[in-house]
Amino acid sequence: MAQTGCSNGDNRWSLKGMTALVTGGMNFDLSLPIITLFLYQFCRHAVVEELTGLGARIHTCSRTETGLNEYLRDWEGKGFEVTGSVCDVSSRAQREKLMETVSSKFNGKLNILINNAGTGKPGRTVEFAAEEFSTVMAVNFESVYHLCQLAHPLLKASGAGSIVLMSCVSGVVSLKYLSAYGATKVVSAFTADIFDARDCLLRVEKSSEGMAQTGCSNGDNRWSLKGMTALVTGGTRGIGHAVVEELTGLGARIHTCSRTETELNEYLRDWEGKGFEVTGSVCDVSSRAQREKLMETVSSKFNGKLNILINNAGTGKPGRTVEFTAEEFSSIMAVNFEFVYHLCQLAHPLLKASGAGSIVLMSSVAGVVSLKYLSAYGATKGTSFYHRVYVAGPELLDKMIDIYLDNFASGALNQLAKSLACEWAQDNIRANSIAPWFIKTSLVEPFLSKKSFTEEVIRRTPLGRVGDPKEVSSLVAFLCLPASSYITGQTICVDGGMSINCFDPSQC
């Protein structure tokens, strides 16, 4: 039978009551080119069943009525709430008719739009006919753009809309003989300008509270951490605290650490009262000896196996680059990068022994875009071969220059995630990094207490607010779940859209 998400009473992990349009929801259509079957068709059926398994009501479409009806009968037999229409998404008129149907079925509201239809034809660029080019453009990009336009009023009316565009790795790296197809998949720039995010919140909010639970109720362990073990550094405050409660809510057993014994014991008692399986150690992660002792404790508690490592502790100090002392620089490097690198080394045999390991490095949006007076902090978080900083001086005060950094400090966090993902994949260990913007934690309270500062943060953030720790912890949890088992080496921003550098000319 169809299910309605997780069993922990937390609607952040449920789509119950939500509506979704999934274009191309059938499994496959053998009349399409083989490249299309490979890149698209085998994903569509899975998306429909994933969303319905989490409680959503779905409308889907297909070019083929016979195939569509076959799958609708199958979904009905499984108890899924799925309806469907025949639609060729390359036709503007049929797209408009499709959205009219969706509006009628869902009473003028739509929570989720999955733009999944697409086509592709490999071929040499010089041999691509005008008709072939037009077809690829019409299906892969024009249809997506138009459907987003048509869906906007429904998404806005829902109060919380989420759009997912099915792109392809060919929009990120070059694939030979797929020049036209790959060009239609570079959709990130267009996603930044679809809507005013303050009108239509382009996300589904997820958050977790209450008694410890063991994942979803649909009998699918891909959405559960039951039986898994995790080390979360810095688990008594801010994002780390939210991560501990998120992972335990999904069934994991946790060990965490803090520099302060009194604070640690207070939270351990609180978690015990909630039924969470959490243990803890006093540890200053900037100390190599204490890190080694911490990992010995973890190995002893979890019988030499560890499924999840969350490297969360960190520090930051704003300041002009030329004014940073050697001691300040060394302190930031020790806490933000050296400890992470060393803990990953220490954790490797435990992660490998578990059979399926996942590392999540807590980076920062400062490692993705430039933040003034955070050159050292940003460098420990970033991946670029250059990093923009601001330099003080009689002629350069508050002037921006580009300083090229030769893969600073042998990588930094985002690059480290990529390197570990590549090197340790053979051990079935995944590694990803998360880059938050301003999140309501004790670390940023001094900044957010200044009205002018908060107003500027909000102005630069398309969603128009600062983030909550639970909006980060839910992504951490997802990257640890078996459901994300094919995601590795990625840096994902949790920033309300800040890093897309949204520019609104209407405000000029």
Side-chain angles (χ1 to χ4, degrees):
M1 283 294 293
Q3 301 295 328
T4 53
C6 292
S7 61
N8 59 4
D10 183 354
N11 62 9
R12 292 179 313 132
W13 290 98
S14 172
L15 298 178
K16 186 176 182 180
M18 296 189 187
T19 58
L21 169 61
V22 181
T23 59
M26 287 174 55
N27 194 19
F28 59 88
D29 179 352
L30 292 177
S31 68
L32 296 176
I34 187 64
I35 190 67
T36 304
L37 296 178
F38 176 72
L39 294 171
Y40 281 99
Q41 295 288 335
F42 295 103
C43 299
R44 299 174 176 176
H45 184 263
V47 171
V48 170
E49 299 212 343
E50 195 78 72
L51 298 186
T52 51
L54 290 169
R57 291 184 295 140
I58 311 289
H59 188 82
T60 189
C61 63
S62 171
R63 295 189 306 168
T64 310
E65 185 173 12
T66 303
L68 175 65
N69 289 336
E70 178 183 342
Y71 279 101
L72 288 176
R73 286 191 296 269
D74 178 58
W75 288 323
E76 183 180 13
K78 294 178 178 178
F80 293 152
E81 292 189 66
V82 185
T83 56
S85 303
V86 175
C87 177
D88 180 352
V89 294
S90 66
S91 164
R92 188 176 187 89
Q94 290 192 42
R95 292 194 297 264
E96 292 172 345
K97 183 179 178 182
L98 170 65
M99 201 56 71
E100 289 173 2
T101 301
V102 170
S103 180
S104 174
K105 287 186 177 292
F106 296 147
N107 300 315
K109 298 180 181 180
L110 184 67
N111 297 100
I112 301 165
L113 171 63
I114 311 294
N115 265 310
N116 181 62
T119 189
K121 181 181 183 298
R124 298 177 184 274
T125 304
V126 296
E127 297 174 356
F128 234 71
E131 295 77 13
E132 294 171 329
F133 180 84
S134 296
T135 298
V136 171
M137 286 298 295
V139 176
N140 289 5
F141 187 71
E142 182 187 342
S143 71
V144 173
Y145 195 94
H146 187 215
L147 277 179
C148 287
Q149 290 178 310
L150 295 172
H152 176 257
L154 283 71
L155 291 161
K156 182 177 179 180
S158 74
S162 180
I163 297 173
V164 178
L165 308 181
M166 194 64 68
S167 181
C168 176
V169 74
S170 66
V172 181
V173 297
S174 301
L175 299 184
K176 195 173 183 179
Y177 302 142
L178 283 173
S179 58
Y181 175 81
T184 65
K185 293 301 158 188
V186 186
V187 296
S188 58
F190 134 73
T191 62
D193 191 42
I194 298 177
F195 309 121
D196 180 346
R198 290 172 176 80
D199 278 347
C200 179
L201 299 178
L202 300 183
R203 65 180 184 83
V204 178
E205 189 168 358
K206 298 178 177 180
S207 203
S208 171
E209 300 174 25
M211 282 297 295
Q213 299 293 331
T214 54
C216 294
S217 61
N218 58 5
D220 184 351
N221 63 9
R222 294 179 311 123
W223 292 98
S224 172
L225 297 177
K226 187 175 182 180
M228 296 190 187
T229 58
L231 169 61
V232 181
T233 59
T236 58
R237 295 185 181 185
I239 292 173
H241 181 267
V243 169
V244 169
E245 299 212 341
E246 195 81 70
L247 299 186
T248 52
L250 289 167
R253 290 185 295 140
I254 311 290
H255 188 82
T256 189
C257 63
S258 171
R259 291 185 303 172
T260 309
E261 185 174 13
T262 303
E263 182 179 78
L264 176 64
N265 290 335
E266 177 184 343
Y267 281 104
L268 288 175
R269 286 191 295 270
D270 178 59
W271 288 323
E272 184 180 12
K274 293 179 177 179
F276 294 152
E277 291 190 68
V278 185
T279 55
S281 303
V282 176
C283 177
D284 180 352
V285 294
S286 66
S287 164
R288 188 175 187 90
Q290 290 192 42
R291 293 194 296 264
E292 291 172 347
K293 183 179 178 181
L294 170 65
M295 200 56 69
E296 289 173 3
T297 301
V298 169
S299 179
S300 174
K301 287 186 177 293
F302 296 147
N303 300 315
K305 297 180 181 180
L306 183 68
N307 297 100
I308 299 164
L309 172 63
I310 311 296
N311 272 310
N312 175 66
T315 188
K317 180 183 182 296
R320 297 175 187 274
T321 303
V322 296
E323 297 173 356
F324 253 81
T325 67
E327 293 75 16
E328 291 171 334
F329 180 84
S330 295
S331 176
I332 288 177
M333 286 298 294
V335 176
N336 287 4
F337 184 69
E338 182 189 342
F339 111 82
V340 174
Y341 194 94
H342 187 216
L343 269 188
C344 288
Q345 290 178 309
L346 295 172
H348 175 260
L350 283 71
L351 292 163
K352 181 178 179 180
S354 75
S358 178
I359 298 171
V360 178
L361 308 182
M362 196 60 65
S363 178
S364 166
V365 75
V368 180
V369 298
S370 303
L371 299 184
K372 192 173 183 179
Y373 303 140
L374 283 174
S375 59
Y377 175 77
T380 66
K381 302 294 185 178
T383 62
S384 302
F385 284 87
Y386 77 93
H387 188 77
R388 292 188 174 185
V389 298
Y390 290 73
V391 177
E395 298 175 354
L396 293 175
L397 183 63
D398 293 340
K399 296 292 178 78
M400 182 172 69
I401 66 171
D402 288 339
I403 294 182
Y404 286 82
L405 302 175
D406 186 15
N407 206 8
F408 191 86
S410 302
L413 296 188
N414 297 340
Q415 186 61 37
L416 178 61
K418 293 178 177 15
S419 299
L420 295 181
C422 181
E423 182 179 345
W424 291 354
Q426 62 185 7
D427 300 323
N428 204 25
I429 299 171
R430 297 182 297 116
N432 295 283
S433 62
I434 293 176
W437 177 222
F438 277 95
I439 307 297
K440 295 176 185 175
T441 67
S442 59
L443 184 65
V444 301
E445 279 177 1
F447 300 99
L448 298 178
S449 64
K450 300 175 183 178
K451 183 179 178 182
S452 60
F453 187 94
T454 302
E455 287 175 347
E456 179 62 13
V457 169
I458 290 173
R459 187 186 70 81
R460 290 292 304 274
T461 307
L463 282 180
R465 61 179 177 82
V466 297
D468 185 86
K470 292 177 181 177
E471 293 176 301
V472 182
S473 65
S474 55
L475 177 58
V476 174
F478 173 70
L479 291 174
C480 299
L481 285 165
S484 67
S485 58
Y486 204 55
I487 301 174
T488 192
Q490 303 304 306
T491 297
I492 304 175
C493 294
V494 185
D495 63 357
M498 179 271 182
S499 59
I500 59 177
N501 296 313
C502 182
F503 172 69
D504 185 357
S506 69
Q507 301 300 312
C508 299

